[in-house]
Amino acid sequence: MKVVREQLLIILVGMISLGFTIFILINSYEVFSNQDIPYISSLRLMEAQEVIDRVIQITDENSLLKEFETDTPSMGELDYMYFPSTDDRIFIGKERYNNGWLQRPNNIHYHILNYDEKGLAGDYLFYTSKNWRTIPSPEAIEVGDEIQIINKYGRSWSFVIFERKVLDYDDRVVPQSSGLRQLIVIVEDRHNDVYYSFLAR
């Protein structure tokens, strides 16, 4: 009887290990193939698809090339975003798109909206969802608060929020023209069917 119990225990442990390994492999496949697989949470489609598309469309229509101040440097490869007022730190990932805008649950993703005459990246659109791994309380972020962008080499850039809105998904964000680099940050709130938009420069 003892031998049977030990064999059953070995089989059970083996099945759990196999299941865990398969789960990890499927999650890895989802990330590397850039596909949102049902019931797997490594990637998921944003609900604010049209919001993101409209910001990109407005920017494309209004500014093919943008002239920035001559001392506007490249931010290089981005690492994370930090909100000092709420102590939120979010890893930055490059945009993910596959029949829709995709998000890793612990990332805020970015799309470069325009470039200057030298090919330098100008305005950035960031998008993410409200959750405990990204921005848990976007309602606590106010006009005048700071947004810090830190790159892979530890260099940081500071931006100040000059506009904050809570909008329905049907409402659009209109970036303002400026000679300064601008950040547009979209935080969707799936539970309340709204999104927060923050403009900073």
Side-chain angles (χ1 to χ4, degrees):
M1 193 68 174
K2 183 179 179 182
V3 174
V4 173
R5 280 200 300 267
E6 288 177 351
Q7 289 178 341
L8 288 173
L9 181 61
I10 291 171
I11 291 171
L12 179 62
V13 171
M15 290 176 65
I16 292 172
S17 297
L18 178 62
F20 188 66
T21 301
I22 291 172
F23 179 75
I24 291 174
L25 289 173
I26 293 174
N27 273 273
S28 298
Y29 174 77
E30 184 180 45
V31 172
F32 288 113
S33 67
N34 211 36
Q35 295 182 34
D36 183 17
I37 299 172
Y39 309 111
I40 303 298
S41 59
S42 291
L43 279 180
R44 65 180 179 184
L45 278 169
M46 293 284 291
E47 287 189 354
Q49 294 288 321
E50 292 185 9
V51 174
I52 297 169
D53 286 337
R54 284 194 299 264
V55 172
I56 295 171
Q57 180 184 6
I58 290 169
T59 305
D60 286 344
E61 291 173 352
N62 294 339
S63 55
L64 297 177
L65 285 176
K66 187 168 182 178
E67 293 184 8
F68 295 91
E69 292 184 354
T70 54
D71 61 349
T72 302
S74 168
M75 292 198 291
E77 190 175 355
L78 309 183
D79 189 15
Y80 66 93
M81 178 182 287
Y82 179 63
F83 291 83
S85 62
T86 55
D87 199 31
D88 292 326
R89 182 180 184 271
I90 314 105
F91 289 109
I92 296 174
K94 293 180 179 178
E95 64 186 326
R96 286 181 173 269
Y97 188 90
N98 188 354
N99 295 318
W101 298 99
L102 297 163
Q103 180 214 354
R104 296 194 69 178
N106 64 337
N107 278 198
I108 188 165
H109 297 274
Y110 73 89
H111 172 83
I112 299 171
L113 291 169
N114 48 34
Y115 296 84
D116 70 4
E117 293 176 343
K118 298 178 182 178
L120 176 72
D123 298 327
Y124 284 72
L125 167 65
F126 291 90
Y127 67 89
T128 190
S129 296
K130 173 183 176 179
N131 70 66
W132 65 273
R133 290 192 282 181
T134 57
I135 302 175
S137 302
E139 62 275 8
I141 300 171
E142 301 290 348
V143 169
D145 287 352
E146 187 180 5
I147 300 175
Q148 294 178 2
I149 304 291
I150 294 86
N151 71 11
K152 297 288 186 181
Y153 301 100
R155 186 172 179 186
S156 65
W157 284 264
S158 294
F159 300 83
V160 177
I161 297 171
F162 66 88
E163 180 182 289
R164 170 194 182 275
K165 291 183 178 179
V166 185
L167 301 166
D168 295 326
Y169 289 132
D170 292 333
D171 297 327
R172 66 180 187 172
V173 178
V174 180
Q176 299 180 18
S177 179
S178 168
L180 301 174
R181 175 176 285 131
Q182 185 171 221
L183 307 184
I184 298 98
V185 181
I186 304 296
V187 184
E188 67 176 20
D189 183 347
R190 293 170 178 253
H191 297 294
N192 296 304
D193 292 324
V194 298
Y195 71 95
Y196 293 80
S197 81
F198 302 96
L199 302 185
R201 65 169 75 107

